[in-house]
Every structure is written in structure tokens, then in C-alpha cells.
Amino acid sequence: MKVNEKLFSKAAAYCAKSEHCASEVVDKLMAWKGEEDADIDAIVERLRKENYISDQRFCESFTRDKFRFNHWGRMKIRMMLQAKGLDSSAIDLAMNEAIEEETYAEALKNVILAKLSTLSADDPQLLPKLYRHVASKGFEYEVFSKVVKEILS
């Protein structure tokens, strides 16, 4: 099937600048399409075939970046990737490859210490406030309880 070369070139340039998943590319193509006749599925397939789009590569990049720069936990990263329509197996593989257990616990420790510096030590709601904060960042309760015991003991 013949694809609209103008839209394909624009989409290829968009994908070459940074990692994008198929749903992001489809959204961009819909915005760019306007009155033009374009088979978006054919364009996305060609982008996949020519390796401009790789959902696995996107999952790994997204996971690594959100963990390192935004200090997000696994649950929040997983939820955001699922919202983009990505496959669970690709998400699981990316999580295993991009986040090491020791690094994960250390990142959570840093998040907790940063939040502790803004709270009063004698606050009776200290633990619930800490947990709400790390839960909003997407960290699991099990990891939180281990790390907070280590910090507060």
C-alpha cells in the first residue's frame, strides 16, 4: 500500500529526534493529517519496519528516564506505559533491564530523606505523610517499609 510520503517523512523526522511509541506517533499523525488522505496504519507499519519505532526500545528509554530524572517508582512507570497502550511483556522486560534493586532502594531512600527534611520529626502523621508521598511517586509499600525502617532505626 502506498503511504503518504510527506507525512511519512515528517513522522520519521519526529521519531529520529527522540524515542516515541506507536500511540504517540499516531496522535501526531492525526494532528498533522488535516485534509490529506493518509493511511496512518501503513505509515506506522513502515516506521516499525524501518526501525524508527520500537515499543521495546521506547519502554526501556521511558523507564530509565522517568526513574533517573523524575524519581518515579515502578508502579507509576508501569501505569504510564500501560496508558500508552504498550504490551505488558515489553514493560516487564524494560523494568528488569533498566532498574536494579539496589539502585531502586537507594532512589527511594533519597526520596524519603528529601521529604523528611520538609516534615517535623515530632509530627504524629509522619509515616502516613511519607507513605502518601512515596506512593504518589509510584513506589511499592513493601520497599517503602524496608527502607523507612532502615532510615528511622
Side-chain angles (χ1 to χ4, degrees):
M1 181 176 286
K2 181 90 169 109
V3 298
N4 183 318
E5 289 300 321
K6 181 179 165 190
L7 277 179
F8 173 79
S9 296
K10 199 170 182 179
Y14 173 68
C15 293
K17 289 180 186 173
S18 64
E19 284 297 333
H20 295 285
C21 65
S23 65
E24 290 176 338
V25 174
V26 167
D27 291 344
K28 276 292 185 191
L29 287 168
M30 293 297 282
W32 292 334
K33 184 177 169 183
E35 297 295 317
E36 295 184 54
D37 182 33
D39 185 2
I40 290 176
D41 292 335
I43 293 172
V44 170
E45 256 330 289
R46 184 170 165 198
L47 289 168
R48 279 187 203 279
K49 197 182 311 178
E50 294 185 18
N51 208 23
Y52 283 102
I53 298 175
S54 166
D55 286 344
Q56 184 61 49
R57 198 173 60 220
F58 175 79
C59 283
E60 289 172 9
S61 174
F62 185 91
T63 301
R64 196 174 21 261
D65 289 351
K66 294 302 179 186
F67 176 67
R68 184 180 305 149
F69 300 118
N70 296 53
H71 311 289
W72 285 3
R74 288 187 188 109
M75 292 185 338
K76 188 167 185 172
I77 294 170
R78 177 178 302 283
M79 186 176 58
M80 298 305 278
L81 288 170
Q82 287 173 337
K84 292 180 180 291
L86 295 161
D87 184 48
S88 292
S89 61
I91 294 170
D92 291 339
L93 187 60
M95 293 280 185
N96 292 335
E97 301 240 342
I99 303 174
E100 296 175 5
E101 286 302 318
E102 304 82 39
T103 311
Y104 191 70
E106 189 64 32
L108 176 56
K109 185 177 181 179
N110 292 336
V111 168
I112 291 171
L113 290 172
K115 185 63 177 176
L116 273 174
S117 70
T118 67
L119 299 172
S120 171
D122 58 346
D123 186 351
Q125 292 293 311
L126 181 69
L127 283 177
K129 286 180 180 179
L130 280 175
Y131 179 65
R132 274 193 305 275
H133 179 68
V134 299
S136 73
K137 292 261 191 193
F139 289 93
E140 301 88 343
Y141 179 77
E142 297 79 27
V143 182
F144 166 76
S145 65
K146 287 178 190 174
V147 173
V148 84
K149 279 181 189 174
E150 178 186 313
I151 291 173
L152 297 178
S153 60

